[in-house]
Every structure is written in structure tokens, then in C-alpha cells.
Amino acid sequence: MPNLSDIGSIREVLARHQFSFSKSLGQNFLINPSVCPRMADACARSHTQGVIEIGPGIGVLTKELAERFEKVVCYELDSRLLPVLEETLGDYGNVSVRNEDVLKADLSALCADAFVGMRVSVCANLPYYITSPILMYLLENRFPLSCITVMVQKEAADRICAEPGSRLAGALTAAVHYYAVPEKLFQVSRGSFLPAPNVDSTVIRLTVRERPAVDVQDEARFFRLIASAFGQRRKTAANSVSAGLGLPKSVVEQALVDLGFEKTVRAETFKLEDFAALHKALSPKKGEFDS
Ligand code: SAM
């Protein structure tokens, strides 16, 4: 089996399989031998037994996961990597690879069928072009995951882990904090990848909450409210929210004043609790639409 901690062996495996990197699939493979053991150790702290890896590439992280967990299931979209993975992971009986788009995978069924009785987590060096869609897919679908330990672009990590209501916070910040408790673990320089990307990376961990951070009556409408607040950052909350939810501005202004805000407050400064309170104040009351 090739030594995946060694850049010479990695280049040799890739050359032998005549592999060329696909930019559109976000293929920047890890070549720094210290990063994968640290990621796998961080994931192990969630006391998980089963791990889902998204995008194993040639299997550098997978190997570390296979050595620490009972079972590892990987989703790899690029079928050219399957023969490579057969070679690099062939000795690990506890690893299986699915040639599927993770964004179409039913991970609830996977957890019920393949990880019976196990706590399951996700560990991955994410393809950067779909970081937000993957995180939202994992969280919104309420798959039974304990935690999500992933490498993302440094700037994405800064936004995801920002405090809701702070300068760096955006709609993704609010959504992640609603479902999970995010934390930054360590940074990884661009030189740790082949080919080297133009940005540095950060490994983050999202510990999934058993219940969302705040109670809301209608999640879809709650997230529409948040999206409208950040979609028009320069506008006042009354303007952006009334446009986003299709409500008269005077109704939103009154709700804001009732909640103790100035009429001219900007919604980007809201914490999750503030969004939840405004959502509640603007929700149709029971019987309001009954004929
Ligand atoms: N884990 C490897 C490593 O750290 O060296 C590779 C990470 S690379 C940043 C991202 C991987 O995700 C690539 O192998 C790519 O082919 C795969 N990928 C991209 N989009 C995917 C998708 N929608 N579903 C599953 N895998 C995907």
C-alpha cells in the first residue's frame, strides 16, 4: 500500500493512474502529513463510532479515520478516483466508498442501515465551491449527526464562527448557530495542498444541537426573514424585512418598537434571539387567516 504521508508516494500514485486535478470539483489534495491525524483526532473527541467522509480524494484523511473508527463511509463524486481508492484503502475492511454526489445522499437512511446503533459524525476536507450548500444540507435535513469536523476556507470559517450580530456575521452564521455550536480548531496554510489554492484554510467543528438554539413557529419563514435582513444589509430592518416578507413597512416598524428596538435598527446587528422574537411578532396569529 502506498505511503500517503509522503508527497513522493502521492505523486507516484497520481501519475500511475494518470490523474489530472479537476478545478470544478474543488480538488486540492492534502499533502501535509500532520493535518489528517489532527483532523481525525478532533473528530474522535465527539465519541463517535461511525464517520461519513465527503470527498476522500486519494484517501489521505480516510486512512486516518479508518484507523480510529469502527466504520467509515465515503462519498466521492469523481469516478476516476475509485481505482485509486481501491489501491490506497484496499487493506481497510471498515471503509466503503460510494460514487455519489453527497448533496443527493439520504444520510438518514445511511445512518439507519449502515451505522446501526452508532454515533455518527462527518469529517471532511470540503470541496470549497460547495461549502455552504453542503453544511446547510447536513444541518437542515436534521440527519442524526453528532458533529461535523471540516476544513473550509479561512474566510468561510471566520464567517461561520462569528458571533451572530457581529460585523462578520451573515445568513450562514445565523443558520449554523441555529443548528449547531461552531468552533475554530486550527489553521492550515495553502502550501499544505496539491495543487496549492490561493487561500488558507481552517478546520472547524460544528457540534450539532439536540434542539435548535431558539424556538420558531415556521422555520422556512424564519430563514426568509434572516435572508432578507442580510440580502439588503444597508437598509433598515423595517425596509429589508417588509420587502423580504411582503409585509407593510408600518407593521414591521411597530413590531420592532414593541420589541424595544429603534425604528431605524439594522437587522444585521440582530442576535438569533432577536430574529426569533421578530419572527414571532410578525407571524400570523392563530385564526388570523380563518374565513
Ligand atoms: N479528502 C481529500 C484530501 O483531503 O486530500 C480530497 C479533498 S478535495 C478538497 C474535495 C474532494 O471532494 C475531491 O475528491 C472531489 O472530487 C470531491 N467532491 C467534489 N464535489 C463532491 C460532491 N458533490 N460529492 C462528493 N464528493 C465531491
Side-chain angles (χ1 to χ4, degrees), residues 24-31 36 53-62 75-78 81 100-103 124-130 134 151 193:
S24 64
L25 285 179
Q27 289 180 340
N28 301 95
F29 292 173
L30 270 164
I31 50 166
C36 294
E53 187 190 3
I54 299 162
I58 65 165
V60 282
L61 174 60
T62 326
Y75 287 88
E76 175 53 67
L77 187 56
D78 188 347
L81 287 165
E100 280 176 52
D101 181 346
V102 70
L103 291 174
N125 170 15
L126 288 182
Y128 292 166
Y129 75 108
I130 44 171
I134 289 180
M151 171 129 52
F193 300 89

Side-chain angles (χ1 to χ4, degrees), residues 16 52 76-77 88 90 98 103 108 126 129 156 180 202 213-214 290:
R16 193 154 32 76
I52 299 169
E76 175 53 67
L77 187 56
T88 58
R98 299 179 176 211
L103 291 174
S108 292
L126 288 182
Y129 75 108
T202 303
V214 288
D290 293 353

Side-chain angles (χ1 to χ4, degrees), residues 135-147:
L135 291 180
M136 290 319 298
Y137 184 72
L138 296 177
L139 293 169
E140 272 174 1
N141 284 292
R142 305 265 172 90
F143 295 128
L145 301 169
S146 300
C147 91

Side-chain angles (χ1 to χ4, degrees), residues 73-87:
V73 175
C74 308
Y75 287 88
E76 175 53 67
L77 187 56
D78 188 347
S79 56
R80 298 174 306 151
L81 287 165
L82 300 188
V84 183
L85 289 166
E86 256 172 49
E87 179 184 335

